[in-house]
């Protein structure tokens, strides 16, 4: 069973072909970072237009790389088209959705709508290169706590199945990736900020500055990252300073980056531990762009060893947005008969 997956929720155009839900035959991703970096964040209108420019060629490339379109005059050798139709930027989503619908109609194959967040969770079971590994039996993978940490989301779920996730905690303000991006902008580092902060942090002292760890009320599984962002701003530019003020003299960017990253990771780990405790589980799954963070991965590996937990995270290449996770989860939905009509709509909201 071969599924073509299309991802256009934000600023990456991703198209991939996945066989049997886990074997990547191709995985093409085009990042729009150079288009957005001078604005310090994603500009929705620019994102939609950039997807329109490249989507058709990228689909063609993914099919050719996978070796499943030998006769261009006939339909390719694929069984379905999966597309991320929620949540995301509406204009960007509509580009992928329109492409997917057209191909589904033209090639006479089913259309599958995939939730982008659920796909980030599914990515933890995929490998980005050989040897590819089939999915574990369901009873060996679930129930688990899933923590999705990205530029747009910071959410905890109780997961009972590849497609069944109940929201148990979420951010009240900024998403964690957004906090990395904003802290990087304050520190005058490049966009996107996550990798930039992480690189600086490796050279810094993690205990140099005690930034706040906002845990909210006792037992809460929600997050808040706006306080730490303001603390970083006031620390590096002075009390009540604006974001475009110059850095104070003597500020060590590596020390600020290391202290910021440590505070954020402390919060993520504490909330994950609370969720595991509350649901009485010992399995966790990480997903989303921030799951690529090396310090977070090493702290989670330490935690897993110390507390006998089973924590899995995606390969580095599958943490940030990509079409492979859409095709992978799309394969599970296809197997379950969950296909959609051509009237399928896009939504900025995640599934319930
Ligand atoms: O999942 P993703 O590609 O897009 C969304 O669905 O939002 O995540 C992008 C986010 C950005 O905020 C970026 O700064 C962050 O993931 N990110 C990182 C790292 N790599 C990407 N954050 C921390 N450390 C990293 N190594
Ligand atoms: Zn994402």
């Amino acid at each position: 069973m071969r599924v073509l997956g299309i991802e256009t929720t934000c600023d990456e155009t991703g198209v991939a072909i996945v066989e049997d839900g886990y074997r990547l035959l191709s995985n093409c991703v085009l990042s729009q970072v150079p288009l957005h970096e001078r604005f310090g964040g994603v500009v929705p209108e620019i994102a939609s237009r950039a997807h329109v420019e490249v989507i058709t060629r990228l689909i063609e490339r993914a099919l050719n790389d996978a070796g499943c379109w030998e006769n261009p005059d006939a339909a390719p050798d694929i069984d379905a088209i999966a597309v991320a139709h929620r949540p995301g930027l509406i204009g960007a989503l509509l580009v992928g959705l329109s492409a997917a619908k057209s191909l589904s109609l033209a090639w006479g194959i089913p259309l599958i709508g995939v939730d982008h967040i659920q796909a980030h969770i599914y990515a933890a079971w995929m490998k980005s290169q050989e040897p590819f590994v089939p999915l574990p039996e369901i009873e060996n993978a679930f129930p688990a706590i899933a923590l999705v940490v990205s530029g747009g989301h910071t959410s905890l779920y109780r997961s009972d199945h590849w497609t069944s996730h109940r929201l148990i905690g979420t951010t009240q303000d900024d998403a964690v990736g957004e906090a990395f991006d904003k802290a990087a902008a304050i520190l005058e580092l490049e966009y996107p900020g996550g990798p930039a902060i992480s690189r600086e942090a490796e050279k810094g002292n993690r205990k140099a500055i005690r930034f706040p760890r906002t845990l909210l009320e006792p037992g809460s599984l929600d997050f808040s990252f706006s306080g730490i962002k303001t603390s970083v701003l006031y620390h590096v530019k002075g009390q009540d300073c604006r974001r475009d003020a110059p850095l104070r003299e003597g500020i060590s960017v590596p020390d600020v980056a290391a202290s910021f990253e440590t505070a954020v990771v402390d919060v993520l780990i504490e909330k994950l531990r609370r969720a595991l405790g509350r649901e009485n589980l010992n399995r966790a799954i990480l997903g989303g762009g921030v799951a690529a963070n090396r310090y977070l991965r090493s702290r989670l590996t330490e935690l897993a060893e110390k507390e006998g937990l089973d924590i899995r995270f995606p390969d580095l290449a599958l943490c940030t947005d990509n079409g492979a996770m859409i095709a992978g989860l799309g394969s599970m939905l296809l197997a379950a008969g969950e296909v959609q009509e051509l009237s399928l709509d896009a939504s900025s909201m995640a599934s319930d």
Side-chain angles (χ1 to χ4, degrees):
M1 182 179 59
R2 289 174 174 178
V3 174
L4 182 151
I6 300 180
E7 156 64 39
T8 62
T9 59
C10 190
D11 61 341
E12 257 105 24
T13 320
V15 184
I17 318 291
V18 172
E19 193 170 62
D20 297 336
Y22 68 93
R23 216 174 286 118
L24 269 69
L25 303 186
S26 63
N27 184 26
C28 304
V29 181
L30 279 182
S31 167
Q32 301 177 2
V33 162
L35 299 178
H36 300 288
E37 66 188 339
R38 73 190 168 99
F39 302 102
V42 178
V43 182
E45 179 73 14
I46 293 177
S48 316
R49 286 167 186 270
H51 287 306
V52 168
E53 278 175 23
V54 300
I55 187 80
T56 316
R57 289 280 176 222
L58 205 62
I59 292 170
E60 198 176 41
R61 196 206 296 170
L63 285 164
N64 286 328
D65 284 2
C68 51
W69 205 10
E70 264 144 37
N71 176 6
D73 295 328
D77 183 15
I78 52 167
D79 300 288
I81 313 255
V83 59
H85 73 120
R86 65 192 309 171
L89 303 170
I90 283 294
L93 285 167
L94 289 175
V95 176
L97 190 56
S98 304
K101 287 182 179 187
S102 312
L103 296 178
S104 158
L105 183 65
W107 294 335
I109 53 176
L111 173 73
I112 302 157
V114 173
D115 181 291
H116 175 86
I117 309 236
Q118 294 187 2
H120 268 308
I121 299 172
Y122 186 87
W125 281 278
M126 299 183 84
K127 292 267 157 265
S128 58
Q129 53 193 22
E130 297 203 59
F132 298 117
V133 183
L135 294 184
E137 293 297 322
I138 209 119
E139 56 274 16
N140 296 324
F142 299 103
I145 297 294
L147 173 61
V148 180
V149 279
S150 74
H153 310 277
T154 308
S155 302
L156 277 164
Y157 298 86
R158 178 191 162 105
S159 299
D160 287 293
H161 194 279
W162 320 107
T163 55
S164 165
H165 311 280
R166 179 167 53 83
L167 186 69
I168 55 175
T170 192
T171 183
Q172 296 184 342
D173 39 59
D174 291 347
V176 62
E178 199 180 348
F180 269 95
D181 294 338
K182 288 178 177 167
I186 293 166
L187 289 170
E188 297 168 8
L189 299 173
E190 74 261 36
Y191 172 84
I197 293 259
S198 176
R199 262 194 314 276
E200 289 297 318
E202 306 262 307
K203 303 178 271 177
N205 172 4
R206 298 198 173 273
K207 295 192 175 143
I209 307 131
R210 177 83 196 164
F211 287 125
R213 275 87 171 142
T214 308
L215 295 173
L216 305 170
E217 61 275 16
S220 167
L221 296 180
D222 286 339
F223 302 86
S224 168
F225 294 106
S226 61
I228 188 167
K229 178 188 65 189
T230 310
S231 296
V232 170
L233 176 65
Y234 290 176
H235 180 83
V236 304
K237 308 212 159 164
Q239 194 68 26
D240 296 324
C241 258
R242 288 162 43 107
R243 269 198 217 182
D244 50 8
L247 296 189
R248 282 196 294 130
E249 219 167 289
I251 286 293
S252 157
V253 172
D255 283 357
V256 176
S259 304
F260 166 82
E261 186 179 60
T262 307
V264 168
V265 168
D266 280 353
V267 170
L268 294 177
I269 294 214
E270 176 56 24
K271 294 288 172 165
L272 181 62
R273 293 181 70 234
R274 282 185 188 181
L276 287 163
R278 177 171 331 156
E279 297 289 323
N280 199 18
L281 296 174
N282 65 356
R283 282 195 206 109
I285 312 158
L286 217 72
V290 182
N293 184 273
R294 287 175 58 177
Y295 181 63
L296 173 62
R297 292 167 86 100
S298 78
R299 288 277 305 273
L300 285 171
T301 307
E302 236 170 64
L303 177 76
E305 278 165 16
K306 201 166 123 222
E307 303 197 4
L309 303 171
D310 169 4
I311 305 183
R312 46 172 62 238
F313 15 74
D315 276 6
L316 285 179
L318 298 178
C319 288
T320 43
D321 294 349
N322 63 83
M325 64 185 193
I326 307 299
L329 182 56
S331 309
M332 302 304 288
L333 292 164
L334 178 66
E338 290 191 39
V339 299
Q340 262 84 37
E341 302 290 327
L342 287 178
S343 55
L344 177 68
D345 205 357
S347 168
S348 59
M349 312 287 285
S351 313
D352 299 331

